[in-house]
Every structure is written in C-alpha cells, then in structure tokens.
Amino acid sequence: MIKEISVLILAYLLGSIPSGLWIGKIFFHINLREHGSGNTGTTNTFRILGKKAGIIVFAIDFLKGTLAVPTFFGIQGISPMVFGLLAVLGHTFPIFAGFKGGKAVATSAGVLLGFSPILLLILAVYFVASLYLTSMISFSSVTVALLAILSVLLLPLTGWILHSYDPLFTVIVLALATLIILRHKDNIQRIKEKKENLIPWGKNITHQQPKN
C-alpha cells in the first residue's frame, strides 16, 4: 500500500512541474502570471515568450501526462489512467506554483497518448482543423473536449477504435474533458462576446475582435 500511495503522489508531483512558469523566470526573466492571460500554460507561453518556448513548454506538459500512464511503475491493481489523472490534476493545481496552473489540455492529451493513441490522433486532427477555421486555441480546446466526451460514450457502441466500454477509462476521460471546459469558462464568455484572443493563423470564421 505504501508503494501504491508513493507512486500516486509521484504522478501528481510530475504533473505539478510548472514548466511555463519556470522557463519564463529562468530564461526570460518574465513571470507569465504578470503578462497576457496570466496563465502558465502553452498558449500564454507562445503569446508572451515566443514560438520556441511555447513548443518546449507544450512538449514538457504533454510528456508529463504520457509518462504518468505507462505501467513501468510496476503497480498492480491500479489503472494507468489513474496516474494520468493525477498528473493532470498536478498540472492544473501544481503544488510547486501555489496550486495555480494550466488549463489541462496538453497534459490530458499526453495521458490519452499513453492509453489510446488512435483516439488522440482523431482528436488532434479535429483540433488542428478547428484551430485553422477559428484561429482560437480556446474554442478548439473546449470543442475537442466535447468531442472526447462523445467519443468515449458512443465509439464503444460501434466497436471502432474503442472496442468495448472501459468504465474507469470513460469516467476519467469525462473528468478530464469537464475539467478542460471548466478551466476555459472565461474564454467561453469572451467567445460569446466576440472578444476572444486569436492566434495569427487561420480564418477567424466567428469574426472575433479581441481588445488590443
């Protein structure tokens, strides 16, 4: 039991590494919480620190989820998805950064890669297409979370990709998707007001006009 608890805590601590916050402070002498949206995740890192830093932060946050899932921990009787969930909770509520972290998208994607890479690929294709059409990472993140919910509920009925229901996998994906949506509540409000921040790519078909 001590081993199981220790590894669960380790998964949370792995997720708690605030890569954007630390990279900003160490290499750019910038506190991401004082710039842009104030978030320490991938999107604000791209916006404030640039493309290279954004890619590095995304990769780290993604791998936190992936590395938490594999069964090389040697723990029997606990689904790898539980470790992934704790890594996402660590990323979102990091003990190393005052429990104020990212919005769970990159780390959740990493978790999904470790458990169902084909489903992740489909969600990623949708995400990129949505991002191109809307120019909004937030919109694409929220809608891909909704698509993930539909996928785990409906795909097992067809036997395609998810061949049968895995109750724990379903519950954890539902939990992760719900967390992503809740973490984007401010973005959803700005989208409704046509004021959401955009990336310099894509069509902006919803005609958002963010404040400068």
Side-chain angles (χ1 to χ4, degrees), residues 23-179:
I23 287 174
K25 287 183 176 181
I26 294 171
F27 296 102
F28 297 86
H29 306 291
I30 292 175
N31 186 343
L32 284 176
R33 289 179 173 166
E34 299 173 354
H35 300 271
S37 66
N39 190 268
T40 60
T42 301
T43 302
N44 203 40
T45 302
F46 267 105
R47 185 177 298 120
I48 304 302
L49 304 182
K51 183 184 298 185
K52 184 180 294 185
I55 292 173
I56 292 172
V57 167
F58 172 80
I60 293 173
D61 289 349
F62 183 90
L63 288 173
K64 288 189 302 188
T66 303
L67 292 175
V69 170
T71 54
F72 64 75
F73 289 120
I75 301 299
Q76 302 295 322
I78 301 179
S79 169
M81 286 295 293
V82 175
F83 298 113
L85 174 62
L86 283 169
V88 174
L89 291 176
H91 172 75
T92 311
F93 308 105
I95 193 172
F96 302 129
F99 301 100
K100 297 179 180 179
K103 295 186 176 180
V105 179
T107 309
S108 294
V111 171
L112 201 55
L113 175 64
F115 201 86
S116 181
I118 297 177
L119 178 58
L120 175 63
L121 177 61
I122 292 173
L123 295 177
V125 169
Y126 166 81
F127 183 92
V128 173
S130 173
L131 186 60
Y132 175 72
L133 292 173
T134 66
S135 303
M136 290 183 287
I137 292 178
S138 58
F139 179 90
S140 301
S141 298
V142 170
T143 54
V144 82
L146 293 172
L147 182 58
I149 291 174
L150 292 175
S151 296
V152 297
L153 292 177
L154 299 180
L155 284 179
L157 294 175
T158 68
W160 184 57
I161 300 177
L162 302 178
H163 302 295
S164 62
Y165 281 105
D166 181 328
L168 186 59
F169 173 72
T170 302
V171 169
I172 289 179
V173 170
L174 292 177
L176 294 177
T178 301
L179 180 62

